[in-house]
Structures are given as structure tokens and as C-alpha cells.
Amino acid sequence: QVQLVESGGGLVQAGGSLRLSCAASGRTFSSYAMGWFRQAPGKEREFVAAISWSGSNTYYADSVKGRFTISRVNAKNTVYLQMNSLKPEDTAVYYCAATLQSSWARVITLSMNEYNYWGQGTQVTVSS
């Protein structure tokens, strides 16, 4: 089992940047592919980005491609989401999630219900 704790959220002006962190407990962090999701008020939770076990593969939602970067440092049991050129529509609670799925081809198709573990979320607010 793994526990996930997000941090780094806050209030930023449009065009600004934030870096979210997700710290994982346990000694098997590298066994999990990781994802970031977000949920805006009144909307469903949506996929943002995913990263493979070693970090060699990444995948992004079209809405954040070119602006957000997902990365991980397995030695620190941490996954990051660097968010640049933020827009008001990026305002949401951001969640990290871990999956035991062993196929990258499957990871990029997973729905949020297929992720095994979730953090509690961190609020990101982008003002116009």
C-alpha cells in the first residue's frame, strides 16, 4: 500500500508558474506508474498527466500539453507537476494517483477509477 501527499498549490496570476509535489510513502514507489488529475468546481475529475515507472515515458492531456511537465525522482519517492503559463481555467483541486498497472499502453488509457491510490488534493487557483 502507498500513501500520497500533495503540496505546492496556491494562488497565482495568469501566466505564472507553480510546481506541485506528491510524496509517497513505502519502499515500492518505483513499482507504480503515477498520474495527476484535477477537478474544478462543478466538473468531473479529469486526467492531466501520467508518468511511467522510471520516468522515461510521459503522457499529457491536450489541454496542458506544452505547458505542464510531469517528472519523478524515485530516490525521493516524489512525483512533480511543473505548471507554466497558467490560465484561469487551470483552477482546480489537483490530485496525484498511483497505479499498479504494468503496461504503459494501458496506463495512458486508464480512467480515474482504475488508479489504486489517491492523495487528498491541493488547491490551485489562477487569477485573471
Side-chain angles (χ1 to χ4, degrees), residues 1-3 24-34 53 72 74 77 98-100 117:
Q1 189 168 353
V2 63
Q3 292 183 324
S25 65
R27 296 177 291 178
T28 59
F29 178 66
S30 60
S31 300
Y32 298 89
M34 301 295 295
W53 308 265
R72 66 190 295 165
N74 286 342
N77 280 13
T99 175
L100 288 166
Y117 303 103

Side-chain angles (χ1 to χ4, degrees), residues 2-105:
V2 63
Q3 292 183 324
L4 304 173
V5 179
E6 301 96 334
S7 61
L11 174 64
V12 64
Q13 289 188 331
S17 298
L18 280 175
R19 187 176 80 156
L20 306 183
S21 299
C22 173
S25 65
R27 296 177 291 178
T28 59
F29 178 66
S30 60
S31 300
Y32 298 89
M34 301 295 295
W36 283 97
F37 289 76
R38 66 185 182 187
Q39 188 166 17
K43 295 188 176 181
E44 292 187 353
R45 194 171 299 188
E46 64 176 3
F47 169 80
V48 174
I51 189 165
S52 62
W53 308 265
S54 67
S56 58
N57 296 97
T58 57
Y59 182 69
Y60 298 92
D62 287 344
S63 58
V64 306
K65 201 174 295 182
R67 299 188 298 123
F68 291 11
T69 302
I70 188 171
S71 62
R72 66 190 295 165
V73 178
N74 286 342
K76 295 185 177 181
N77 280 13
T78 303
V79 62
Y80 303 96
L81 186 68
Q82 177 67 43
M83 305 185 295
N84 298 329
S85 302
L86 282 161
K87 305 174 181 180
E89 51 264 44
D90 294 318
T91 294
V93 177
Y94 282 71
Y95 300 89
C96 70
T99 175
L100 288 166
Q101 177 60 239
S102 59
S103 163
W104 179 245

